[in-house]
Amino acid sequence: MREQLEKIKQQGLEALRACTDGKELDALRVKFLGKKGELTAILKQMGKLSAEERPVIGQVANDVRQTLEQAVSARLEELKARELELKLKLETLDVTMPGKTAGVGGLHPLNIVLDDLIDIFQSMGFDVVDGPEVETDYYCFEALNVPKDHPARDMQDTFYLGDNLVLRTQTSAAQIRVMESRTPPIRIICPGRVYRADEVDATHSPVFHQVEGLVVDKGITMCDLKGCLEQFAHEIYGPETQVRFRPSFFPFTEPSVEVDVTCSECGGKGCRVCKGTGWIEILGAGMVHPNVLRGCGIDPDVYSGFAFGIGLDRLTTTRYKISDIRLLFENDQRFLNQFQGR
Ligand code: DAH
């Protein structure tokens, strides 16, 4: 019996040493020390022993039980420690590693040019105002001297939202709102989106950007318009840039002009950008039509004014030599990232 006990001890210790996880350890504990375990099975036979043998073997059995119990709890501690070590290793975090940097955004090229433009006009005393993109027919056309049956309505393909409601086709609509709500002297620019039912191609988009300008005061003449726009062109394109006025027609100005600047690419010699002409058209302008002033409650015999509408997209594509206007609206990061920090 002593030998059997010794054998159980050896086997138990060996099995415990080989055991690698908590479940297995528990199974071993039951196998050797449990109520139906091997040790108990032997102890049940103690009754067969003589009175002298019994305490001796009992002592041995107790030793074996103690040894195995200690071995089980020691092994349990070891396994727990090993598990913790493994977990820590897996969750290692190097706090000295540099973090992921969040990308720094930049201004959209349209906004870079617009900011410059606002700086220029603000330094000349202009206020910046805002106007609604959804306009009534009255502000977008009628008040701008374009009655319902006027052929000039064909100049712009309009998105109608209802009988009387449109997506504004021109920031000129904002002129009227300003003249209605302010008294001269007036000096404002109004940048914003405008909409026209145009097919999309490299130079057309159904949504684009204009910057409207309006000056109304006593004694304003075409010379003021010319001086103002020359100043603007020199600041945007450089002092060597020439400006030319071409007679044109807009219903809300009389006289009306289209304004060209010498091509910044070739300096006026003629190139691909200016289609060989040496000039690039950047805006429409003119002296505010007396009908328009009158409609806003401003007496055209006392006051006069000039207005202009700059195409911001064109200004931006020529400045940065962007060959396709669609790039301005697609928000491709590879395109936009080129303007970071400008
Ligand atoms: N609204 C015109 C357009 O979209 C541009 C324009 C021309 C605006 C002459 C003006 C102006 O204020 O006086 O084509």
Side-chain angles (χ1 to χ4, degrees), residues 156 169-170 172 175 196 210 212-213 250 252-253 284-286 307-309:
Q156 300 172 357
T169 56
Q170 48 189 352
S172 305
Q175 285 185 28
R196 287 183 203 178
Q210 290 185 333
E212 194 75 12
F250 297 103
F252 34 90
T253 43
F308 55 86

Side-chain angles (χ1 to χ4, degrees), residues 14-25:
E14 223 165 90
L16 285 171
R17 235 176 280 132
C19 148
T20 52
D21 71 59
K23 243 190 198 165
E24 200 185 335
L25 184 68

Side-chain angles (χ1 to χ4, degrees), residues 1 8 14 131 161 175 183 191 208-209 214 240 260 286 295 303-304 324 329:
M1 217 167 174
I8 288 177
E14 223 165 90
L161 302 177
Q175 285 185 28
T183 48
F208 55 102
H209 302 80
L214 174 72
E240 68 290 345
D260 303 335
Y303 293 102
S304 55
D324 193 321
F329 302 100

Side-chain angles (χ1 to χ4, degrees), residues 7 175 183 186 201 244 251 294 328 336:
K7 205 170 145 199
Q175 285 185 28
T183 48
I186 292 169
D201 64 24
R244 89 176 169 188
R294 211 175 287 119
L328 294 177
L336 294 177

Side-chain angles (χ1 to χ4, degrees), residues 116-283:
D116 286 354
L117 210 139
I118 287 175
D119 274 352
I120 294 168
F121 282 106
Q122 272 181 338
S123 74
M124 289 195 258
F126 285 70
D127 275 353
V128 180
V129 303
D130 210 8
E133 289 175 27
V134 173
E135 265 297 8
T136 60
D137 184 277
Y138 177 77
Y139 285 104
C140 200
F141 298 117
E142 287 217 52
L144 286 161
N145 205 26
V146 187
K148 279 214 159 30
D149 55 356
H150 197 286
R153 288 216 176 192
D154 285 350
M155 287 167 80
Q156 300 172 357
D157 289 320
T158 310
F159 286 116
Y160 280 88
L161 302 177
D163 274 352
N164 263 320
L165 219 51
V166 301
L167 285 176
R168 71 176 172 195
T169 56
Q170 48 189 352
T171 44
S172 305
Q175 285 185 28
I176 306 300
R177 292 183 176 274
V178 169
M179 284 190 277
E180 279 180 355
S181 61
R182 298 189 185 195
T183 48
I186 292 169
R187 232 181 299 176
I188 59 98
I189 55 169
C190 172
R193 284 193 198 94
V194 296
Y195 302 85
R196 287 183 203 178
D198 275 334
E199 292 286 339
V200 178
D201 64 24
T203 53
H204 293 88
S205 161
V207 50
F208 55 102
H209 302 80
Q210 290 185 333
V211 180
E212 194 75 12
L214 174 72
V215 171
V216 182
D217 202 352
K218 287 179 182 157
I220 297 292
T221 69
M222 196 109 178
C223 277
D224 297 307
L225 172 63
K226 200 152 190 226
C228 175
L229 292 180
E230 250 166 22
Q231 171 82 10
F232 159 71
H234 289 168
E235 298 225 23
I236 284 275
Y237 292 107
E240 68 290 345
T241 305
Q242 289 172 44
V243 178
R244 89 176 169 188
F245 280 28
R246 270 181 297 112
S248 186
F249 170 79
F250 297 103
F252 34 90
T253 43
E254 181 58 39
S256 304
V257 291
E258 273 170 318
V259 179
D260 303 335
V261 292
T262 38
C263 175
S264 56
E265 180 71 17
C266 61
K269 287 188 209 78
C271 67
R272 214 171 55 92
V273 174
C274 57
K275 299 200 176 85
T277 64
W279 297 94
I280 291 185
E281 183 194 326
I282 55 164
L283 56 89

